Amino acid sequence: MKKRALLLMAALSLPVALHAQTAEDRARAAAEAARAKSADSDAILGHYVTPGLAGEAISTVDSSKTFSPNLACQKSATLLELLAQPNASGDIGTLSISRDRDLDGSFDEAMTVPVPVSGICANGLISCAPGSWNACRFFRWDTAASGSLKLSEVELTELAGCYCVNNSCGSNLVWGNMASVLKDLGGGVVGALTTNDPRIGIAQASIDGPVIRYTGAQTTSCASQPQVGATAYKANPNAIAGDAYAAAQGSSVFQSLKGSPAGVGKTEQVRSCTIEREVSIKAWQFDDIVAASGVIASSWSCGEGCRRYQIRGEGACGDNPPVYSAIFTAMVPERITSARIVEMSADDWVQAQINGVAVGYAGKRVWMDNGIPSGDCRISGSSWYNYSPVDITSQVKAGATTVSARVRGGGGGRWGNVVVEIQANTDCEVSERLVDLCSGYAANDACRLTDEIVDGVTTFRNGVRTGLSPLPQTRVIGTGACAMQVSRDFFARQRNYACTVDQGAVPQPDLSRGAYIIDHSTETLLADRVRTADGGHSLTTRTFALPDRGSVNACEPICKTRKAQANSAAAPDGVTGSKQTNPTGWDVFYHACQDNNVCPAGEGEELVQGCGCIDDFPEAVVMMQTVRLGGADMVCTGTVR
């Protein structure tokens, strides 16, 4: 009885809220607390970044505990102060900058911009004739060798995000937009300083009328010089893989893991292989394509890849006129483009034959049979010519072909000719093949790529991709008349693979139970298979249900507003607004709605669409497509068109 009373008293002493809250309530409360401190960039900056860099107190999510971090080596309440004052022409006539270089709390560098500021850029400024956009000069924020701030005169193309602020683009632009003007000017100055000295970090920016002040700290290095070792990788990314390997070799944690059972329980062999592109060029000669033998009186060139052969002999008047033959053999038939008998001439008669079959003649009367022509053998004072071509391409390509001249004549005329012309493709032949000796390792699951060099460029090192890739290569292949340039993505890859050949003492995980659960369970039934002591399996099933996930809104309510904004952007051709019929446009804003669907519109903004689920994806697609097509129509040439 006494024990029950003690338990009852202990239960009553617990906070009521602990009994009333469920796990879901506590989770929601924690989420709301986290959102209050990190819902957006401003909240993160105010609750964590700024106090962290300034050495001020930071509280936990539930505000139950606070601590003061020390993230900076040196701090300055005012690292940089910038004062901007416009004059009557709308230009910024006074722009002065004060800087605490050594972060000791007092200014030790001052700069007054020596020119009026007519336009502002993300990394510089534009100075024109007061109140106009004429005789403009362009300046970029920069640093001297000593680290002091300066302005360097450059071309407009070296500046970014420029816009006009003097009276040529509108009235009272600087005073009416002082906060954004100061942020843009200060951002350019801070960008130049932090690029020169990466140790500097900006903790906070505050605006007081025409002045913007930056709270800064030295955060990334406690050295006296601005060179920070980590920034060296920006200039030489290839050094990351090598330095990481060196750090791993000197790390006790890495070496312990490497020497653990998981690290030594397998044996790996390094296999080297290559993938090479073999490109060769063969120079073809006519005699490599066609061979000729037999009674050939002469031969001569008739152009590139063309040759003529003369088959000539003396005739007789008997019943069996002599036959003079030549044999043409095609060694590369596919390169023969044409084969013809182009001339038959005689005094008195000649008959052209292909493989013993008459195909043409030259003489006074027709002679297309195996007999002899009718009439006398001798026809005094006459020579006969036939230039009608006879195509014999198919016969020559098919195999050894005999071309014959059957000659008949007597008296003073006893000769006959048959001229054969063969044309062949003697162009240089390019052949290419990819010899891949790495395909077996690449397809083997036990092998992984550790190193790769492509045409001299390291693309993999110690199993990590370097991010580098070679440019397309151009090489000269062949010599003499067949020398030509061949361009390819790559010509040679050298690879190393680490292949596991022994799993050692580390057993492979048994995934059969998990596979059984996945394959046999349903939304309401959980199936399981457990190994028993005797080596068998015990099968079980039980019902289960997922907890209610609750309901959520279809979307986060947002609202859409707009604010009139004059187009004062500057380009090499002048201020953009001066080229438009109506230079005033709209800036569109989207805000996350507050409680009770209240739209937190900014100053000067008018409501376009109230709180709800807004889908402007089609509009965004149209805008992106417009920019893409506009860029595709821009053509840069070296001449005026």
Side-chain angles (χ1 to χ4, degrees):
M1 186 67 179
K2 181 178 180 181
K3 183 178 180 180
R4 293 179 59 188
L6 290 174
L7 290 174
L8 180 60
M9 292 175 63
L12 292 175
S13 66
L14 291 175
V16 177
L18 184 61
H19 288 280
Q21 283 189 332
T22 63
E24 183 175 350
D25 294 334
R26 293 195 298 273
R28 290 186 180 276
E32 290 297 330
R35 176 178 293 185
K37 290 196 172 183
S38 59
D40 52 37
S41 58
D42 291 336
I44 295 175
L45 187 67
H47 290 100
Y48 301 113
V49 177
T50 299
L53 292 178
E56 299 174 355
I58 296 178
S59 63
T60 57
V61 173
D62 60 358
S63 300
S64 61
K65 295 181 180 180
T66 60
F67 62 96
S68 297
N70 187 17
L71 303 180
C73 305
Q74 300 182 69
K75 311 176 186 67
S76 176
T78 307
L79 169 71
L80 189 73
E81 183 176 279
L82 186 146
L83 168 66
Q85 290 182 322
N87 54 25
S89 63
D91 302 90
I92 299 176
T94 301
L95 180 58
S96 60
I97 303 170
S98 301
R99 177 188 173 196
D100 180 5
R101 292 188 58 173
D102 54 9
L103 301 175
D104 63 353
S106 61
F107 292 130
D108 45 31
E109 180 184 336
M111 174 186 180
T112 300
V113 175
V115 294
V117 179
S118 308
I120 301 173
C121 304
N123 58 339
L125 53 86
I126 301 174
S127 179
C128 307
S132 71
W133 203 256
N134 301 319
C136 295
R137 300 167 64 193
F138 313 101
F139 300 89
R140 180 182 63 204
W141 295 113
D142 209 342
T143 53
S146 62
S148 59
L149 185 68
K150 71 172 185 176
L151 283 171
S152 300
E153 189 164 359
V154 296
E155 296 293 331
L156 179 58
T157 52
E158 296 185 46
L159 302 179
C162 301
Y163 61 92
C164 171
V165 296
N166 65 13
N167 289 345
S168 66
C169 306
S171 60
N172 203 30
L173 293 178
V174 176
W175 282 120
N177 302 276
M178 181 59 75
S180 62
V181 166
L182 290 173
K183 289 180 181 179
D184 293 338
L185 287 170
V189 174
V190 169
L193 295 177
T194 54
T195 299
N196 177 67
D197 189 349
R199 299 173 302 167
I200 298 175
I202 301 300
Q204 187 176 11
S206 60
I207 297 175
D208 182 11
V211 177
I212 185 170
R213 297 183 180 90
Y214 290 92
T215 301
Q218 181 181 334
T219 60
T220 60
S221 172
C222 295
S224 59
Q225 298 298 323
Q227 289 76 18
V228 180
T231 61
Y233 296 126
K234 179 180 180 182
N236 184 20
N238 290 338
I240 296 177
D243 291 351
Y245 179 77
Q249 297 305 308
S251 170
S252 59
V253 176
F254 180 86
Q255 295 303 325
S256 298
L257 180 61
K258 184 178 180 181
S260 67
V264 301
K266 60 180 180 179
T267 302
E268 286 186 343
Q269 291 183 350
V270 176
R271 312 277 177 82
S272 299
C273 60
T274 59
I275 303 175
E276 292 185 321
R277 190 184 305 276
E278 294 184 354
V279 182
S280 61
I281 298 180
K282 179 177 176 58
W284 285 98
Q285 303 296 328
F286 188 91
D287 292 335
D288 297 332
I289 301 172
V290 179
S293 61
V295 182
I296 298 177
S298 63
S299 64
W300 64 94
S301 173
C302 49
E304 182 69 26
C306 179
R307 186 173 294 179
R308 289 187 175 183
Y309 301 88
Q310 183 188 51
I311 304 171
R312 182 183 178 92
E314 293 187 357
C317 286
D319 293 338
N320 295 305
V323 178
Y324 304 91
S325 301
I327 300 174
F328 297 93
T329 304
M331 293 179 288
V332 187
E334 60 272 13
R335 281 194 161 258
I336 296 177
T337 59
S338 172
R340 304 182 301 166
I341 296 175
V342 295
E343 178 185 334
M344 292 167 280
S345 58
D347 187 358
D348 298 304
W349 307 83
V350 67
Q351 183 186 76
Q353 297 180 346
I354 301 297
N355 295 327
V357 179
V359 294
Y361 72 96
K364 185 176 181 179
R365 288 181 292 276
V366 177
W367 187 19
M368 292 294 290
D369 53 28
N370 292 329
I372 59 175
S374 60
D376 296 335
C377 173
R378 169 65 180 160
I379 304 175
S380 61
S382 298
S383 296
W384 307 91
Y385 297 89
N386 183 355
Y387 297 104
S388 299
V390 178
D391 190 354
I392 59 173
T393 305
S394 59
Q395 293 92 327
V396 174
K397 282 188 173 184
T401 302
T402 301
V403 180
S404 305
R406 188 181 181 197
V407 183
R408 185 170 187 261
R414 309 182 61 157
W415 57 270
N417 290 327
V418 172
V419 178
V420 177
E421 177 189 278
I422 298 179
Q423 296 184 16
N425 179 11
T426 57
D427 293 343
C428 302
E429 181 180 1
V430 180
S431 61
E432 178 179 335
R433 66 171 185 160
L434 199 64
V435 182
D436 187 356
L437 302 180
C438 298
S439 58
Y441 302 136
N444 189 347
D445 294 336
C447 297
R448 58 184 178 86
L449 179 64
T450 58
D451 300 278
E452 181 185 59
I453 299 177
V454 182
D455 292 337
V457 178
T458 302
T459 58
F460 268 84
R461 178 178 293 164
N462 299 323
V464 179
R465 185 183 295 275
T466 63
L468 302 177
S469 59
L471 295 174
Q473 301 291 307
T474 300
R475 297 185 179 180
V476 177
I477 307 296
T479 59
C482 282
M484 63 177 61
Q485 291 185 339
V486 178
S487 298
R488 296 293 184 269
D489 292 339
F490 77 94
F491 282 90
R493 295 179 184 267
Q494 299 173 333
R495 288 180 171 180
N496 286 338
Y497 283 87
C499 298
T500 302
V501 296
D502 181 18
Q503 297 298 329
V506 179
Q508 292 294 318
D510 184 7
L511 304 179
S512 60
R513 181 184 179 190
Y516 181 87
I517 294 173
I518 294 174
D519 293 340
H520 296 80
S521 299
T522 64
E523 295 180 356
T524 59
L525 183 67
L526 178 63
D528 196 1
R529 184 178 67 172
V530 181
R531 184 180 297 275
T532 58
D534 58 359
H537 291 89
S538 172
L539 305 181
T540 61
T541 57
R542 62 184 178 87
T543 59
F544 80 104
L546 293 174
D548 184 15
R549 291 176 292 176
S551 60
V552 295
N553 296 329
C555 67
E556 181 181 12
I558 60 174
C559 58
K560 180 179 180 181
T561 63
R562 68 177 185 177
K563 181 180 180 180
Q565 180 67 42
N567 188 355
S568 59
D573 198 31
V575 180
T576 307
S578 64
K579 310 295 181 181
Q580 297 176 324
T581 304
N582 182 6
T584 301
W586 297 94
D587 286 344
V588 178
F589 305 91
Y590 294 89
H591 302 281
C593 291
Q594 299 174 348
D595 295 337
N596 300 323
N597 285 335
V598 176
C599 180
E603 182 179 357
E605 298 178 18
E606 62 179 66
L607 186 65
V608 176
Q609 191 168 352
C611 294
C613 296
I614 299 177
D615 180 12
D616 281 352
F617 183 75
E619 181 180 349
V621 170
V622 171
M623 295 172 68
M624 290 187 291
Q625 183 75 339
T626 302
V627 173
R628 186 186 72 82
L629 294 177
D633 287 342
M634 294 180 183
V635 178
C636 297
T637 62
T639 58
V640 178
R641 294 187 176 181

